Amino acid sequence: MTQTSAVLKEHQNPLGYKKISSLLRSFAIPSIIAMLVSSLYNIVDQIFIGQGVGYLGNAATNVSYPLTTICLAIALLIGIGSASRFSLHLGAGEKDIAQRVVGNGICMMVVFGILYAVLVELFMTPLLTAFGATPDVMPYAQTYSRIVALGMPFLIVTNGMSNLARADGSPKYSMVCMLIGAVINTILDPVFIFIFHLGVAGAAWATIIGQFFSFLFALLYIKKFKNITLKRTDIRLSAKESLQTASLGMSNSLNQVAITFVQIVLNNSLTYYGAMSAYGREIPLAACGIVMKTNAILLAVIIGISQGSQPIIGFNYGARQYDRVRKTYRLAITANLAISAVGFILFQFFPYYIIALFGTGEAAYFEFSVKFMRTFLFMVILNGVQLISSNFFAAIGKPVKGLVLSMTRQVIFLIPLVLILPHFFGLNGILYAGPAADGIAFLVTVSLIMLEMKKMKGMEQKQSC
């Protein structure tokens, strides 16, 4: 490397020239840890509630979980949308626009967070009823949800700022934002549940106390941005900016919303068909919560890889370095397949040991839970391809394609199959719907990605002419 090129690189963003594998590792690992930590809020609650309250407590957290997934959908709408726009404008050298994107994003986080918390508190009981709460589960679910709802604004701001910090080149700061809250939550959970005997309320208070400290740390990054200098005039809410941000965050957000709809349909279908089986209504409901949240750990790793690749893909696409865009995507998919293979082995060969972590239960409870995990997650190795590809389209500024992909597995295929297959196979039909939807969504994803890569190569050839 000549002295001139070395000097030039000092003034360039490393996203544009540093080795792809090094970049993805430095961005993805903190992002994976941050996502794992985020999912631990619910996992840790589930484990301690299962040990301290029983499977009715687990069923209650399962019923209230859609409230959290909707909250995360709002956080992704703003956080991923703002981070994608931020990366694209930085890549194009438009720092003044990047500043406005960040300022508007911060305002959106605060406003949407407060509004969502108020709506949840006002409509708590009808929401939990719609989410599948039975009369036995409802008291536990109400107690847990009313407290957790208070922390929703903290969760939205923390997740949104975490995405912006990562896009700004501070993946470790993003990770610590999430890590602080999870550590506090994990310490307080057993104290509140087993020492103070607060039950599900103790788990809820531990969660929002942890979220509050993560929120405080996330806010500190407003003055720490590396690539921009955020001014007070930049922090304002603009309808135009908000719509543009929402358009790029929509695919990731709707993927979370789709997970919520799937959870609601699953809960109601499991209680309906469970009542006709030997397992009853509560066992399938509790089993579903454990299986979905266990799978959420694997998804957290895949989302971490996806989010880690987003700034690299977005910056290089904005800078028209299409070869680096393709290399980043291929590396992200390879890493995802390796991680998903490990998940497949654990879910298929060690389901009993995983389920036992979440507390004790009767023999029928373990029998159904093991069958649920093995069957519903049979095609889990393919899930990440759809998820990473959806985020890829958002990162390159093509939200419509990202939106289509985010809807394929959850809404277009899984929900109809959950509703149709039980008519032929009873309760087992709900379990078969998972792998069937995964396989079909994978084929659609591969088709769209192949077309996009072909188009990108054509743009690269025109550029070189």
Side-chain angles (χ1 to χ4, degrees), residues 144-161:
Y144 183 80
S145 301
R146 287 205 181 278
I147 298 169
V148 168
L150 299 175
M152 296 301 185
F154 304 146
L155 186 59
I156 289 173
V157 172
T158 301
N159 276 272
M161 288 302 300

Side-chain angles (χ1 to χ4, degrees), residues 269-283:
S269 297
L270 286 166
T271 54
Y272 179 79
Y273 288 100
M276 303 178 189
S277 72
Y279 300 110
R281 296 198 297 176
E282 277 75 27
I283 285 177

Side-chain angles (χ1 to χ4, degrees), residues 15-75:
L15 292 172
Y17 67 84
K18 198 172 178 181
K19 189 177 178 182
I20 296 294
S21 58
S22 298
L23 280 172
L24 187 59
R25 186 165 54 249
S26 64
F27 276 83
I29 290 176
S31 182
I32 288 168
I33 294 172
M35 289 305 303
L36 281 172
V37 164
S38 180
S39 67
L40 278 176
Y41 279 117
N42 288 289
I43 296 293
V44 169
D45 283 351
Q46 194 96 37
I47 291 173
F48 284 120
I49 288 171
Q51 298 290 344
V53 181
Y55 73 83
L56 284 179
N58 276 336
T61 58
N62 179 36
V63 165
S64 68
Y65 192 55
L67 296 175
T68 301
T69 58
I70 294 171
C71 183
L72 290 174
I74 296 170

Side-chain angles (χ1 to χ4, degrees), residues 380-398:
V380 74
I381 198 167
L382 303 179
N383 276 355
V385 176
Q386 181 256 357
L387 199 154
I388 288 176
S389 300
S390 174
N391 196 48
F392 167 79
F393 282 114
I396 66 173
K398 297 188 176 182

Side-chain angles (χ1 to χ4, degrees), residues 240-317:
K240 181 181 177 182
E241 293 284 347
S242 298
L243 287 172
Q244 291 178 1
T245 293
S247 71
L248 291 189
M250 189 66 71
S251 62
N252 286 273
S253 176
L254 287 180
N255 196 46
Q256 280 293 323
V257 173
I259 290 172
T260 305
F261 281 124
V262 168
Q263 191 75 54
I264 294 168
V265 173
L266 275 174
N267 287 349
N268 285 282
S269 297
L270 286 166
T271 54
Y272 179 79
Y273 288 100
M276 303 178 189
S277 72
Y279 300 110
R281 296 198 297 176
E282 277 75 27
I283 285 177
L285 195 62
C288 178
I290 291 172
V291 170
M292 298 299 280
K293 288 180 182 177
T294 303
N295 187 41
I297 297 176
L298 176 61
L299 290 178
V301 178
I302 297 169
I303 291 170
I305 295 170
S306 180
Q307 291 185 350
S309 67
Q310 179 270 321
I312 310 168
I313 291 171
F315 182 91
N316 284 286
Y317 194 85

Side-chain angles (χ1 to χ4, degrees), residues 419-439:
L419 296 174
I420 293 169
L421 292 183
H423 288 288
F424 302 96
F425 304 104
L427 189 60
N428 286 335
I430 299 173
L431 278 55
Y432 301 151
D438 291 339

